[in-house]
Amino acid sequence: LPEGCTPENTASIASDLAGKTFGLECKETGIEDDDSNFTRFLLLGRRGVVPYLNKKIPSKTSLVFTLPNNAGALYKSLACFSLRDIDMSKIESRPMSAGLLNYLKFRNTVTQLGGGGRGPTFAQELPRFRYCFYLDILASELDEGVQNALHHLREQSDYCRILGSYPANSRLVGPVAEAVEALNAANAGKVNRGDLRLESLPGDKEGARQLNIGIVGYGSFGQYLSKKMGGIHSLRCIDPLDKSKEAEENGVEYFPAFESSSFFQGLDVVIIAVPMIELEETLDNLPLEKLRNKLVVEICPLSVYPRTILTRMLPPDTDILCTNPMFGPGLVSDGSSSSETSWDGLPFVYEKVRVSDAKRADC
């Protein structure tokens, strides 16, 4: 501790796991001024945990790279990942260190002197001030698509380094998990130490959050949505036509139109899956007061009309999400029809018109 600081007069901001590891007393939790703020803690080591990752463990990979100062260079580098349907969760730029800049100048000089190349002035083309780009992708570096993307990126970048792959949602694997288990065993029976492995993590709660979702209009697209979300959320549907058979096949609870009050009870999200020309008429026939404090999602083409209708007719405390899923039942990425399709990599455009519960909308 710094001079003058003692365990009695010193506090620290740290994770729950760190507090349990060192037996600290937690004075207050959730001290952030915004619920969407999170602090990221990194555990660094010489040996990575890539060998302990598998396809069942959601993973992230962090990398750093540099680019030439050309128009469109960043766009082309990110296309290496987007063309292979690799999602990115973060990108930021930082000034390049003097050591790395001198290394690149030295390497370019050696390359030109050794192979002739474009002449001795190539090393001087590097500017005195450059940027590095730090990128996080939602995949392991061992995935075939990521390997191909990295090969593609290295063709454009004069410096690319993988900082590491690791589990998402703060999960512990490999030697780290074993060390925690060993500490748990060593502290067994001790007072006020607790279990170092948290029973749940913020990321686990978000990923496992189950919503009660109601689908208004159980046509072909409503059925398509229920097949995608059925294993994740609790679903029910309502339609003026008898869709009980289709709902039963998809594991969805069906409500006839005259039971609309019971249908909306306990719902978190209401999806309006009707054609745009029927949107206003559908809302007219719904008990709109039942939509208070719920998230209403419409799937009409993204335009001013659906947004205007929803903001005018819905209660002011109803969240509104306007979406345009540019796909449909049987439509694959090349535009052809197929009975077996996947949504992975297909474009989805949305607008958060009015959202008070960001976590619910993100689910």
mmCIF file of all heavy atoms in Angstrom, residues 1 148 162:
data_model
loop_
_atom_site.group_PDB
_atom_site.id
_atom_site.type_symbol
_atom_site.label_atom_id
_atom_site.label_comp_id
_atom_site.label_asym_id
_atom_site.label_seq_id
_atom_site.Cartn_x
_atom_site.Cartn_y
_atom_site.Cartn_z
ATOM 1 N N LEU A 1 0.827 -1.197 0.000
ATOM 2 C CA LEU A 1 0.000 0.000 0.000
ATOM 3 C C LEU A 1 0.867 1.255 0.000
ATOM 4 O O LEU A 1 1.974 1.253 0.552
ATOM 5 C CB LEU A 1 -0.906 0.012 1.226
ATOM 6 C CG LEU A 1 -1.996 -1.074 1.299
ATOM 7 C CD1 LEU A 1 -2.718 -0.989 2.628
ATOM 8 C CD2 LEU A 1 -2.960 -0.935 0.149
ATOM 9 N N ASN A 148 -8.594 -17.841 -41.980
ATOM 10 C CA ASN A 148 -8.607 -17.273 -43.338
ATOM 11 C C ASN A 148 -8.674 -15.751 -43.298
ATOM 12 O O ASN A 148 -8.028 -15.069 -44.101
ATOM 13 C CB ASN A 148 -9.792 -17.836 -44.115
ATOM 14 C CG ASN A 148 -9.666 -19.325 -44.378
ATOM 15 O OD1 ASN A 148 -8.556 -19.855 -44.449
ATOM 16 N ND2 ASN A 148 -10.790 -20.014 -44.514
ATOM 17 N N ILE A 162 -1.776 -11.354 -32.816
ATOM 18 C CA ILE A 162 -2.890 -11.875 -32.038
ATOM 19 C C ILE A 162 -2.535 -11.747 -30.557
ATOM 20 O O ILE A 162 -1.552 -12.330 -30.085
ATOM 21 C CB ILE A 162 -3.178 -13.349 -32.378
ATOM 22 C CG1 ILE A 162 -3.357 -13.522 -33.886
ATOM 23 C CG2 ILE A 162 -4.409 -13.839 -31.626
ATOM 24 C CD1 ILE A 162 -4.476 -12.718 -34.455
#
